[in-house]
Amino acid sequence: MNIEAIMGELLTLLIMALALGMDAFSVGLGMGLIRLKARQIFYIGITIGIFHIWMPLVGMLIGKALSDTFGTIATLLGGGLLILLGVQMVFASFKKDEKPLITPVGFGLIVFALSVSLDSFSVGLSLGIYGAKTVLTVVVFGIVSMVLTWIGLLTGKRVQAWLGSYSEALGGSILLAFGVKLIFPF
């Protein structure tokens, strides 16, 4: 394979990774509106990057036979999880005395990372059909989503200081809207 073909494939994968990573950025922006420490932001980005590596990898390995079924199911699950997280954050913003049900640590971080990486599973199914280079694909997806998550979280953290007590409700609204958009694309 010549250098032009490799560069063309890399550019295509970068564009796809940016498109997939934008959901991580958007959700990171919403989650960044709750109070997070720098260490939490670092771990969230790493975790989402890892999920954006193994979800498309699993999708690519499963292949063509199941792509339509799992693609739709993955999108619906991802949207449902984001709606759940968004509703929980909005309600938690009105109940300041209670700790949120789901926070981006421990199991909550796994749910959060899973919700933003399910669409990369669907893309992995499609890429498996076309024979994309597996290692290159998952590494590019992982790095781009990790960086976009960090940018979203850091931007959200900065905006959170300006919005004060309304920031968590706004963050939940962003997650809720993104979940609805995943389930009902328009």
Side-chain angles (χ1 to χ4, degrees), residues 58-71 124-131:
V58 169
M60 290 175 85
L61 295 175
I62 289 177
K64 183 178 181 178
L66 303 174
S67 67
D68 292 335
T69 304
F70 277 126
L125 286 170
S126 300
L127 290 174
I129 295 168
Y130 296 114

Side-chain angles (χ1 to χ4, degrees), residues 107-145:
F107 180 72
L109 177 55
I110 301 299
V111 171
F112 176 58
L114 183 63
S115 69
V116 297
S117 64
L118 279 172
D119 59 342
S120 64
F121 173 79
S122 305
V123 172
L125 286 170
S126 300
L127 290 174
I129 295 168
Y130 296 114
K133 292 183 178 20
T134 304
V135 173
L136 179 64
T137 300
V138 297
V139 167
V140 169
F141 283 11
I143 290 171
V144 169
S145 65

Side-chain angles (χ1 to χ4, degrees), residues 150-181:
W150 283 336
I151 292 170
L153 287 165
L154 292 170
T155 303
K157 183 176 179 153
R158 175 154 253 150
V159 171
Q160 185 266 338
W162 298 334
L163 296 175
S165 62
Y166 299 106
S167 63
E168 192 171 0
L170 178 60
S173 299
I174 291 171
L175 296 181
L176 180 65
F178 197 71
V180 169
K181 183 184 179 296

Side-chain angles (χ1 to χ4, degrees), residues 86-113:
V87 167
Q88 181 271 322
M89 278 179 67
V90 169
F91 282 126
S93 72
F94 294 113
K95 298 177 181 179
K96 286 298 174 192
D97 58 328
E98 292 183 21
K99 190 175 180 184
L101 180 64
I102 299 175
T103 57
V105 292
F107 180 72
L109 177 55
I110 301 299
V111 171
F112 176 58

Side-chain angles (χ1 to χ4, degrees), residues 9-18 52-53 134-146:
E9 185 170 348
L10 183 60
L11 180 62
T12 301
L13 288 174
L14 278 171
I15 292 169
M16 291 176 100
L18 283 170
H52 271 85
I53 288 173
T134 304
V135 173
L136 179 64
T137 300
V138 297
V139 167
V140 169
F141 283 11
I143 290 171
V144 169
S145 65
M146 178 179 61

